[in-house]
Amino acid sequence: MGASDSKLVFKQGIFRLSEDRSIPANDTYWTGFWELPESTEDVFSLFSPVDIRRTRDTSIANLETLLLAVTSRLFNLAAHPSFPDSETAPEKDALNCIRILTRLLPFIYEADHLEVWEDNFFWSSRRRRSTRSQTVGTEILFDGTEAEDNPLPRDTEEESERSKPLGEELIDTLTDLLFHSGFTLPTPHNARSKVTYSIWQSGVGCNTAVGSTKEFESNRCEILRLLLTLTSKSMYMTPNILPVKGVKAITYITTCPDKQIVLSVLCSLLNTTLKYNPASWRVPYDHVVFKDPKQILVTYCLQLLLVLILYPIPENSYGQTPKNNYRHFLGRLHRPQDFQFLVEGMTRSIASTSNKSYIKVHANSSYLPGSQKSLKWAPEMIMLFWEVLQCNKRFRSFIIDTNRAHDFVVLILFYALAQKTDPSKQGVVRMCIFVLQTLSVEPTFGKSLNKQFEGQESLPTSVRVPNFNGTYADYLIISVYTLITASKGKLDAIYPALLAIMKNIAAYVEHISTSASSKLLQLFASMSSPGFLLANETNHALLQSLLESINAVIEHRYSENPNLIFTILRGRKRFEALRSFTLETGQEEIERQERLRKEQASETQLNSSPVRANSAESLRSPSNTHARTPTLSNVPEENSAFAIGDDDDSEVEDDHRPTPSQSSPSMHDSRTPSVSSSIDDTMPLQLRGMSEKARGKMPAGQPSFSRQNSTNSLSSHGAAVLSSSTGFMPTPQWIETWLPELPLHTILTLISELSPQVSLPSTSSPDFHASLDVIRDAQIRGIDPSPVRVHLFEWSTLSLGWYESLLWGFIFASEMVVSKGTVGVWNGTVIRLFKVQETAAEGPSFLAPRGAVDAVGSNLVQRIGSLNIRGNQSGLEGQNRQGDGGVNGIATVSSRYLELTRKKLELTRLPHEITLPQHRAWEYGTPKSDLEPLVDFWLEEYDWRTQESIINNSLPQFRTTITIPPHPPLRVHFVHSRSSHPDAIPLLFCHGWPGSILEVLKILGPLTDPTETHTNAAPVQAFHVVAPSIPGFGFSDPSPNEGMGLLATAAMYDALMQRLGYRYYVAQGGDCGANICRMLAIHYAQTCLATHVNCLSVRPPSWTYRPLVYLKYRIAEITRCRIPSLSFGYIPSDVEASEENPRFNDEEMDYLALQQTKPQTIAYALCDSPVGLLAYIREKLHDWTDNYAWTPIEILNFVMMHWLPGLEAGLRWHREALRDMQDVREKWSSTPMGISAFKGEGSRYPPMWGKCVQNLRWVRRHDGGGRFAAWERPEALVGDLRDYFGEVSRMERRLGRMVEEV
């Protein structure tokens, strides 16, 4: 599709999918989908998400036909004897079929309402069937396979009439195409079949690689990506459902009974992945190799391999769990040369070998580049390593026996340590720890760690231990200590796994160094501190695990570890203090530490510049908050009897003082590494890490000496400590449940036996080694070795869900990188397996320049991709646009701005308020009881990225530039959704304040695609809906000039409708949107043929202004509307409402007086304080609705649409709009008008007063609802629009012509 004309033809064909009700299957139109595109980029850029969703939701029959057409074409091509042949069976046709399927499937998977349809369409029996033959290999590659009879292929019974489901046939065809001569493999001589199942690359099961070309590898990439897309149904399931329900596509692939197919696919994927060696490139590969097509192929191979071997097949209908054949045969590998191949390929990929800085462990292996980044798939390779460890016991033995396990230990610890504080890498870090736990269950692994680690000095500085001289066990122990104490609490969920590693190896390690011994005792000091033990009801279990590790060393390797024994003796007071620990002594220690902290803070304040802080009077009132549990990087009692560093240990601490990045907090030594900022130095230690918001929520004047908000005095307030995060309250009885169970007997016995015999000199003293000799020779009585217990990693539904989400998260993220031009297969879809958080796009760089050629090409694709051939929409920026048009339909919101919002929320100071009775709670404005939970929700639970995705997937959004003199060109952001109904009317929806385009969300579908019918079986009125943002609102540009009020906005809206090709249209609005409708009726009556409002602003009639209207009103008022013939359309509530109207204007419209006079003044407050803006808008959402139950998410979504772009332009717009209000309230228009009067709307003008200003044709009153009718009562408003505009269209001749023209 080289010419732009061809692109337009293809785009026009895409539009037809959603326009025509049902296109016949034999229409030649369908051939365009595989004949016109020239590349993957063409398919992805022109077949936009909006197009796919519109077809999916409005023309499912056409979507079915398209899927059947491209799959049938693909099946026929694959079965054609000449394929690939440019004349009879073109390769391009097959590739385009694959690309179309890849593009469509994610949008089918995301739609919950299509789940039953999808299951029937893809997985129910069909009348078509295919057969395949198999050949049997002779070499025994997998242990145990020689005893099995080769089963028949799935469908080789020629007489069978059973037909395959479409999904199964598609998978079979794609599998065949992976091994198709001339398409993905070279054509062999004298081949009987086009499909040969030859393994692609040498390695496992193959000594000689088949020939390959870039074209073959590119075709493999296309097929593998479609297979990944087929299996990506996993992404659209929640983690707890996926392991139970499963994915039929993956189940079908992994349960394939054809052994040759399984082995060919398995070995091809495995060998291609592990054979790849970027070091052969003579360039700094890590920065350029991502453009290497070979790496893209390797990426897809590795990802599909992991998808297959990780997959937990759910139980079938018989309660049986079928065997995963890919995992089974991977576990059957047994040849040493295969294991060597696996190890070399994995270490090469994980270590990202380069020809520059590296670390040598073996003579022929190098890893961990000191100056270059790792390959993009290093985490996936660690995942593959873990899988082989779990399913193949021989492989575990091989890497341990050959000492290659040391390489993996160092590599895995490197990734864990380097990324321990990166929130986006926590899944990788957890996986690394679980891999080490899996290795540690082997006794030989623990023994192998006693080897001296000689390559430590060549490690990167981030993971290097200064002055290290020890074994691999020492390095592992110190690394575990660092992960626990320096991860800032981010890894608390895997503390048990880290301690399980140490327990598993403890019975086998020897010659633990002085440094590693000190780390173990420091860890014990932190875990035995009162602040940690009393934080929650489970922390004592961590302490117990650590004590069991120390006990295992003493009981099984006492004489081989004198350094550890010496360190225990030096810290004996800590263990003795723990035995006598009580709740009272623990709280006293916390109080003592707090007093010292205050004294130090006072001294610090005297010697430093003052820090602004909230006064006691301004502290926020208490409420439910989630205070953080104390982490081991921030434990307060280091100088107490519970911490390392008492009088007897001063010399040891001097010799082995932790570095600042690894140490526990100390009042006199190094600063504590924690999440908190520098302002925490002025806070009590127990409040460190709490947000300003959480601290402010504590009662004014309350001394807060602990995270548990414990009472200040034990004598006056009792002995309870309350954890505000869980409601946990430690009691003496609770302590008695676990303290006696702590395994202290071995250590205390050791101390009592050795203390009289061993002197404790400094480690630098000449007598130190003599003391170690005494320890080695001593006979300890009363200590019996306990059985060695292995702590396995246990899989559960929850952990399987997490593991799958981690894998698919890798796949999702990498697809955004490797698929140049496709913008990611799954990008913009509603992912449920994990959370997608977008980051700001990277700008140009020397390695990724954006020159003129790139800019022109990209611009051409984007412009064509957003064209709408159904109307003149030139200049539009569509949902598939990037840059100014936004990503995924809405202008990109910087992550930095979202982070700034979070910080502002944390620093919020709420005012005090007076006590009012419940029925007057809102009399002074938004009450704190309503606002404070919203602030908490915003800070702790609300996620804009999730809401952004929902909005983008629900509203088809665009931007276009319109010029309304004297204003400069302004970009207008709008929603545009066309109806498939032939009699649909263009409807301009005008939102109000503090609303936005979100108001159209609930009514968009019912308006564009009505499914109901009238009682007379006639179809109801449908609409093409356009909903623009007022200039300065949402993501529409504000004008820098004066004069952008109601009239200029109406002019811009009319120009937008004309640009979209709507010569005539109707308009609807509420609040200030109703005023825009009035300006359209007055000044653009030649194009805006009718209006409907649900909020009326009008000058009340009088004897001097519209006297006839006033006369009728007075008659109805005098008769109280009791006489129908004299009511003139009024009802009793209209009369009552008009009497109350002055009060509403006085009390509820004062905000408008401020915005219309001094908008800049109030803008300073509302644009800087998210909570101020929330309170301001929340009041209107409460007062202007009729008891609508707003959810926190709804409220915050409305607020965010003003907070993100800034409220100042919207405030100024009200001032400019004031200039046009006289026309709105007084000027006459003959344009038909309809009014929906909702009881709680607020303005309370009688609807019949609309006759003062416009040709009032239609009125309907509703008992409920308020000013936000489209949101509060969407069904009622939709019904009114259908009835009123349907009636008008039958009377207005131009509307009839409008329908025909559109």
Side-chain angles (χ1 to χ4, degrees):
M1 201 187 307
S4 59
D5 289 344
S6 252
K7 292 179 184 286
L8 292 175
V9 172
F10 184 63
K11 187 67 178 180
Q12 189 172 22
I14 292 172
F15 285 140
R16 186 182 171 190
L17 274 176
S18 57
E19 289 178 338
D20 291 3
R21 284 289 181 171
S22 182
I23 305 174
N26 58 357
D27 196 319
T28 56
Y29 155 80
W30 300 109
T31 62
F33 285 94
W34 53 79
E35 291 179 352
L36 291 175
E38 293 289 342
S39 65
T40 306
E41 287 76 11
D42 287 343
V43 173
F44 274 72
S45 61
L46 298 178
F47 215 154
S48 71
V50 176
D51 297 322
I52 300 172
R53 290 193 177 101
R54 185 187 297 116
T55 303
R56 179 195 69 191
D57 298 335
T58 63
S59 303
I60 190 67
N62 286 341
L63 181 63
E64 281 190 16
T65 307
L66 174 59
L67 290 170
L68 289 172
V70 294
T71 52
S72 297
R73 178 61 174 166
L74 182 62
F75 299 159
N76 293 334
L77 288 170
H80 197 284
S82 300
F83 179 77
D85 180 82
S86 59
E87 297 296 331
T88 58
E91 176 181 304
K92 186 184 81 170
D93 289 11
L95 291 174
N96 283 334
C97 290
I98 291 171
R99 293 160 184 164
I100 293 292
L101 291 170
T102 304
R103 186 57 167 158
L104 294 178
L105 286 173
F107 296 92
I108 296 174
Y109 289 158
E110 73 169 1
D112 286 338
H113 65 281
L114 291 182
E115 185 173 2
V116 175
W117 172 88
E118 176 220 331
D119 190 68
N120 292 331
F121 184 78
F122 284 103
W123 303 106
S124 60
S125 296
R126 301 166 64 247
R127 294 184 178 181
R128 296 194 56 181
R129 61 184 294 272
S130 64
T131 61
R132 74 163 51 129
S133 59
Q134 67 170 7
T135 58
V136 181
T138 57
E139 184 182 6
I140 300 174
L141 304 180
F142 297 85
D143 183 38
T145 60
E146 68 274 18
E148 301 176 8
D149 293 329
N150 291 313
L152 290 174
R154 299 178 201 261
D155 289 311
T156 55
E157 296 179 3
E158 300 293 340
E159 68 280 6
S160 173
E161 293 297 328
R162 188 179 68 84
S163 58
K164 283 188 177 181
L166 179 63
E168 293 183 4
E169 186 170 358
L170 178 58
I171 291 172
D172 288 345
T173 301
L174 293 173
T175 304
D176 289 347
L177 288 175
L178 285 174
F179 304 96
H180 200 289
S181 300
F183 187 64
T184 52
L185 291 175
T187 303
H189 297 290
N190 302 322
R192 295 183 179 180
S193 171
K194 281 276 191 177
V195 180
T196 62
Y197 299 116
S198 300
I199 299 174
W200 298 343
Q201 186 60 265
S202 60
V204 177
C206 180
N207 296 324
T208 305
V210 297
S212 185
T213 64
K214 289 185 178 180
E215 289 73 22
F216 290 163
E217 292 178 353
S218 176
N219 293 344
R220 293 175 196 169
C221 285
E222 299 275 8
I223 300 169
L224 291 173
R225 184 167 56 184
L226 177 52
L227 285 170
L228 276 172
T229 307
L230 272 168
T231 58
S232 67
K233 176 71 174 177
S234 306
M235 289 195 197
Y236 304 93
M237 305 167 71
T238 57
N240 58 323
I241 295 296
L242 175 57
V244 178
K245 188 175 182 180
V247 177
K248 289 188 176 181
I250 312 179
T251 300
Y252 180 76
I253 297 173
T254 54
T255 56
C256 173
D258 192 323
K259 183 167 58 179
Q260 182 174 5
I261 294 176
V262 173
L263 296 182
S264 296
V265 174
L266 175 63
C267 294
S268 294
L269 299 178
L270 192 64
N271 296 349
T272 303
T273 298
L274 298 179
K275 193 75 172 181
Y276 181 65
N277 184 6
S280 60
W281 291 77
R282 302 304 180 185
V283 292
Y285 69 91
D286 189 58
H287 303 289
V288 180
V289 76
F290 67 90
K291 293 185 178 179
D292 169 28
K294 183 72 171 182
Q295 187 178 11
I296 299 176
L297 174 63
V298 174
T299 300
Y300 287 145
C301 286
L302 176 56
Q303 291 173 352
L304 182 59
L305 177 64
L306 288 173
V307 167
L308 299 181
I309 64 175
L310 261 65
Y311 178 65
I313 302 178
E315 291 184 355
N316 57 26
S317 57
Y318 303 101
Q320 301 171 340
T321 303
K323 181 171 63 177
N324 184 328
N325 288 322
Y326 285 83
R327 187 177 183 85
H328 169 74
F329 287 120
L330 186 63
R332 291 294 184 181
L333 282 173
H334 64 281
R335 299 189 305 179
Q337 62 266 37
D338 291 338
F339 291 151
Q340 185 67 25
F341 174 77
L342 294 179
V343 169
E344 290 180 356
M346 290 176 182
T347 53
R348 180 170 55 245
S349 295
I350 298 174
S352 306
T353 308
S354 79
N355 52 7
K356 291 194 176 182
S357 130
Y358 55 83
I359 305 161
K360 288 189 176 180
V361 175
H362 290 280
N364 297 323
S365 70
S366 58
Y367 56 93
L368 282 177
S371 64
Q372 297 205 7
K373 298 179 181 179
S374 64
L375 283 174
K376 303 298 182 184
W377 60 68
E380 290 99 311
M381 193 61 72
I382 295 175
M383 189 175 283
L384 177 60
F385 173 67
W386 191 17
E387 286 304 303
V388 183
L389 278 182
Q390 293 178 86
C391 69
N392 197 310
K393 294 181 179 180
R394 293 186 182 92
F395 179 75
R396 287 203 302 270
S397 300
F398 175 84
I399 65 168
I400 295 172
D401 295 342
T402 58
N403 287 329
R404 296 306 298 270
H406 298 154
D407 300 1
F408 286 101
V409 168
V410 176
L411 287 167
I412 291 169
L413 284 175
F414 166 74
Y415 281 97
L417 291 167
Q419 300 170 346
K420 61 183 178 295
T421 58
D422 186 347
S424 65
K425 305 295 185 184
Q426 295 306 296
V428 178
V429 177
R430 293 184 181 191
M431 179 180 65
C432 290
I433 303 309
F434 297 149
V435 173
L436 293 176
Q437 184 180 355
T438 303
L439 269 174
S440 67
V441 301
E442 297 290 335
T444 52
F445 174 76
K447 297 174 183 177
S448 72
L449 294 177
N450 295 321
K451 182 181 178 181
Q452 193 74 12
F453 183 20
E454 299 176 350
Q456 203 270 154
E457 288 305 319
S458 60
L459 287 169
T461 55
S462 60
V463 295
R464 190 183 307 164
V465 179
N467 303 316
F468 178 83
N469 183 21
T471 63
Y472 283 97
D474 291 328
Y475 185 75
L476 178 58
I477 291 171
I478 294 173
S479 298
V480 169
Y481 168 83
T482 304
L483 286 169
I484 292 178
T485 60
S487 59
K488 303 179 181 180
K490 298 183 185 296
L491 301 179
D492 53 352
I494 57 171
Y495 288 171
L498 288 166
L499 295 173
I501 294 171
M502 292 206 292
K503 281 197 290 185
N504 287 339
I505 67 172
Y508 310 105
V509 295
E510 301 174 356
H511 310 299
I512 300 177
S513 67
T514 304
S515 176
S517 300
S518 177
K519 297 302 182 188
L520 283 175
L521 266 292
Q522 289 180 45
L523 197 57
F524 167 75
S526 296
M527 288 186 172
S528 61
S529 63
F532 185 76
L533 287 175
L534 300 182
N536 61 53
E537 57 185 335
T538 59
N539 278 355
H540 64 84
L542 299 176
L543 175 61
Q544 180 172 342
S545 294
L546 179 61
L547 289 172
E548 289 174 353
S549 301
I550 298 174
N551 288 344
V553 176
I554 296 172
E555 294 169 2
H556 297 275
R557 291 292 185 271
Y558 166 81
S559 60
E560 290 85 359
N561 290 288
N563 287 320
L564 177 61
I565 307 303
F566 182 87
T567 308
I568 291 173
L569 294 176
R570 292 290 299 273
R572 59 188 179 277
K573 290 185 178 181
R574 307 184 193 95
F575 298 98
E576 293 166 352
L578 181 60
R579 173 55 77 190
S580 60
F581 177 80
T582 64
L583 181 60
E584 185 175 0
T585 59
Q587 291 176 323
E588 287 174 350
E589 176 60 23
I590 294 175
E591 282 192 315
R592 186 181 74 84
Q593 287 291 327
E594 175 56 20
R595 288 194 298 271
L596 293 175
R597 173 62 56 184
K598 286 182 178 179
E599 294 173 3
Q600 183 189 23
S602 299
E603 295 175 1
T604 303
Q605 288 180 343
L606 290 175
N607 298 326
S608 62
S609 60
V611 178
R612 185 176 67 182
N614 295 334
S615 64
E617 289 79 7
S618 67
L619 290 175
R620 292 175 53 185
S621 57
S623 66
N624 294 331
T625 183
H626 300 287
R628 297 189 183 112
T629 301
T631 65
L632 294 180
S633 61
N634 191 11
V635 180
E637 297 81 10
E638 187 165 296
N639 284 10
S640 69
F642 300 94
I644 295 177
D646 56 29
D647 294 339
D648 294 338
D649 298 342
S650 57
E651 293 183 7
V652 175
E653 287 301 293
D654 289 340
D655 291 342
H656 305 286
R657 188 179 306 278
T659 62
S661 63
Q662 297 171 334
S663 64
S664 306
S666 172
M667 293 185 300
H668 306 293
D669 298 328
S670 60
R671 184 176 173 206
T672 306
S674 69
V675 182
S676 58
S677 62
S678 59
I679 198 171
D680 280 351
D681 288 335
T682 66
M683 294 292 171
L685 183 65
Q686 304 302 336
L687 290 181
R688 287 192 176 191
M690 294 176 66
S691 67
E692 184 74 16
K693 178 184 77 70
R695 290 193 291 264
K697 288 164 63 175
M698 301 181 66
Q702 175 181 324
S704 51
F705 71 89
S706 74
R707 286 178 193 248
Q708 292 76 32
N709 293 336
S710 182
T711 52
N712 190 39
S713 171
L714 292 174
S715 58
S716 61
H717 296 286
V721 179
L722 177 64
S723 170
S724 62
S725 62
T726 62
F728 168 67
M729 180 179 292
T731 63
Q733 294 76 17
W734 169 75
I735 291 178
E736 286 302 314
T737 62
W738 58 264
L739 185 62
E741 301 299 323
L742 288 180
L744 287 169
H745 169 74
T746 297
I747 297 175
L748 293 178
T749 300
L750 178 77
I751 292 172
S752 63
E753 288 284 324
L754 290 181
S755 292
Q757 306 177 40
V758 181
S759 61
L760 300 173
S762 167
T763 54
S764 59
S765 169
D767 297 331
F768 172 66
H769 293 287
S771 297
L772 296 183
D773 292 337
V774 173
I775 291 174
R776 291 189 189 95
D777 298 336
Q779 299 294 321
I780 307 301
R781 294 168 298 177
I783 298 179
D784 297 322
S786 57
V788 177
R789 292 191 300 169
V790 175
H791 299 271
L792 300 168
F793 177 78
E794 297 181 0
W795 288 102
S796 63
T797 300
L798 184 63
S799 58
L800 284 171
W802 161 80
Y803 196 29
E804 287 281 345
S805 67
L806 184 64
L807 169 61
W808 283 105
F810 292 154
I811 296 172
F812 178 89
S814 68
E815 179 67 14
M816 302 293 290
V817 178
V818 301
S819 297
K820 181 181 178 183
T822 64
V823 204
V825 172
W826 303 277
N827 187 34
T829 59
V830 183
I831 306 294
R832 297 180 180 85
L833 187 60
F834 50 83
K835 175 182 174 182
V836 178
Q837 183 170 346
E838 294 182 10
T839 57
E842 296 181 359
S845 67
F846 288 112
L847 294 171
R850 296 177 187 171
V853 175
D854 291 336
V856 171
S858 175
N859 186 51
L860 176 62
V861 172
Q862 291 174 354
R863 282 189 289 112
I864 293 176
S866 58
L867 283 179
N868 190 330
I869 302 174
R870 297 163 295 187
N872 179 18
Q873 295 193 108
S874 57
L876 299 189
E877 298 171 3
Q879 267 195 273
N880 57 336
R881 288 291 309 272
Q882 297 186 31
D884 291 338
V887 179
N888 295 334
I890 203 165
T892 302
V893 178
S894 169
S895 296
R896 293 182 179 179
Y897 190 70
L898 296 178
E899 178 63 18
L900 175 64
T901 302
R902 184 190 67 79
K903 291 179 179 178
K904 285 181 176 290
L905 290 170
E906 287 183 334
L907 296 172
T908 296
R909 183 184 70 174
L910 294 185
H912 290 293
E913 61 181 3
I914 63 175
T915 303
L916 293 172
Q918 184 63 33
H919 68 280
R920 297 179 56 202
W922 289 83
E923 195 170 298
Y924 282 71
T926 305
K928 186 187 289 188
S929 60
D930 184 89
L931 185 70
E932 193 164 19
L934 287 173
V935 177
D936 293 340
F937 184 87
W938 195 348
L939 182 61
E940 297 165 2
E941 298 184 46
Y942 181 79
D943 178 42
W944 168 250
R945 293 303 186 198
T946 299
Q947 299 307 312
E948 181 185 70
S949 177
I950 294 173
I951 294 169
N952 292 336
N953 291 327
S954 304
L955 298 178
Q957 300 160 69
F958 303 84
R959 284 206 298 196
T960 188
T961 300
I962 294 177
T963 303
I964 303 296
H967 303 279
L970 300 177
R971 293 173 301 176
V972 180
H973 174 237
F974 62 98
V975 172
H976 183 202
S977 181
R978 287 181 54 84
S979 174
S980 60
H981 291 246
D983 60 346
I985 297 174
L987 170 65
L988 174 65
F989 179 86
C990 306
H991 72 80
W993 185 91
S996 65
I997 60 165
L998 294 186
E999 290 185 62
V1000 81
L1001 186 63
K1002 293 184 179 181
I1003 63 175
L1004 187 63
L1007 287 176
T1008 58
D1009 187 25
T1011 57
E1012 305 89 344
T1013 58
H1014 283 299
T1015 53
N1016 60 3
V1020 298
Q1021 184 63 57
F1023 301 88
H1024 307 298
V1025 178
V1026 179
S1029 295
I1030 295 173
F1033 286 58
F1035 299 99
S1036 285
D1037 288 346
S1039 174
N1041 302 336
E1042 288 185 302
M1044 179 52 73
L1046 292 171
L1047 179 57
T1049 302
M1052 184 171 285
Y1053 282 9
D1054 183 76
L1056 172 63
M1057 296 301 286
Q1058 302 308 312
R1059 176 168 295 181
L1060 294 175
Y1062 301 129
R1063 181 178 178 185
Y1064 303 113
Y1065 58 91
V1066 297
Q1068 195 282 332
D1071 190 71
C1072 55
N1075 297 336
I1076 297 173
C1077 289
R1078 283 279 297 126
M1079 299 304 287
L1080 288 166
I1082 295 169
H1083 297 281
Y1084 295 94
Q1086 71 278 12
T1087 53
C1088 181
L1089 303 186
T1091 63
H1092 176 277
V1093 298
N1094 54 282
C1095 178
L1096 181 64
S1097 183
V1098 61
R1099 174 184 171 182
S1102 64
W1103 293 120
T1104 59
Y1105 174 72
R1106 308 294 187 230
L1108 182 59
V1109 177
Y1110 184 64
L1111 176 62
K1112 292 180 179 180
Y1113 167 71
R1114 291 294 294 162
I1115 294 173
E1117 183 183 32
I1118 293 171
T1119 62
R1120 293 294 177 182
C1121 302
R1122 296 191 182 102
I1123 304 174
S1125 60
L1126 298 178
S1127 295
F1128 304 109
Y1130 293 95
I1131 61 175
S1133 62
D1134 291 339
V1135 178
E1136 298 166 3
S1138 63
E1139 292 174 350
E1140 296 175 3
N1141 188 59
R1143 178 183 178 276
F1144 178 85
N1145 283 335
D1146 290 342
E1147 294 189 5
E1148 296 298 334
M1149 302 300 286
D1150 284 345
Y1151 85 96
L1152 192 57
L1154 179 59
Q1155 293 178 192
Q1156 289 179 340
T1157 54
K1158 304 292 184 183
Q1160 193 65 27
T1161 300
I1162 192 175
Y1164 290 116
L1166 298 183
C1167 292
D1168 183 65
S1169 171
V1171 175
L1173 179 61
L1174 171 62
Y1176 196 65
I1177 291 180
R1178 175 65 181 117
E1179 176 199 317
K1180 306 309 173 189
L1181 298 183
H1182 173 272
D1183 292 349
W1184 293 353
T1185 54
D1186 186 29
N1187 296 318
Y1188 178 74
W1190 290 94
T1191 67
I1193 289 179
E1194 288 177 329
I1195 295 171
L1196 292 175
N1197 283 347
F1198 269 56
V1199 171
M1200 288 293 278
M1201 292 300 289
H1202 294 277
W1203 171 254
L1204 293 175
L1207 190 68
E1208 64 276 7
L1211 297 175
R1212 288 196 300 269
W1213 184 86
H1214 278 96
R1215 177 182 171 89
E1216 303 302 327
L1218 178 63
R1219 305 181 184 187
D1220 302 318
M1221 281 305 296
Q1222 184 173 357
D1223 279 1
V1224 170
R1225 291 168 57 83
E1226 299 180 7
K1227 201 163 187 178
W1228 170 259
S1229 171
S1230 60
T1231 301
M1233 178 171 69
I1235 297 178
S1236 293
F1238 292 89
K1239 182 179 179 181
E1241 187 274 325
S1243 63
R1244 311 301 288 271
Y1245 286 116
M1248 302 309 296
W1249 283 5
K1251 291 188 175 183
C1252 293
V1253 292
Q1254 206 165 322
N1255 179 15
L1256 184 62
R1257 292 275 196 91
W1258 188 92
V1259 172
R1260 179 174 291 168
R1261 296 174 174 85
H1262 298 275
D1263 292 335
R1267 182 161 294 194
F1268 303 95
W1271 198 263
E1272 299 175 71
R1273 298 286 301 276
E1275 301 87 354
L1277 182 62
V1278 168
D1280 289 358
L1281 295 178
R1282 291 171 177 171
D1283 292 346
Y1284 167 61
F1285 286 125
E1287 179 180 318
V1288 171
S1289 67
R1290 289 187 288 273
M1291 295 183 294
E1292 175 56 61
R1293 298 176 62 184
R1294 286 179 298 172
L1295 278 176
R1297 293 201 306 271
M1298 172 188 64
V1299 173
E1300 295 174 2
E1301 291 175 3
V1302 172

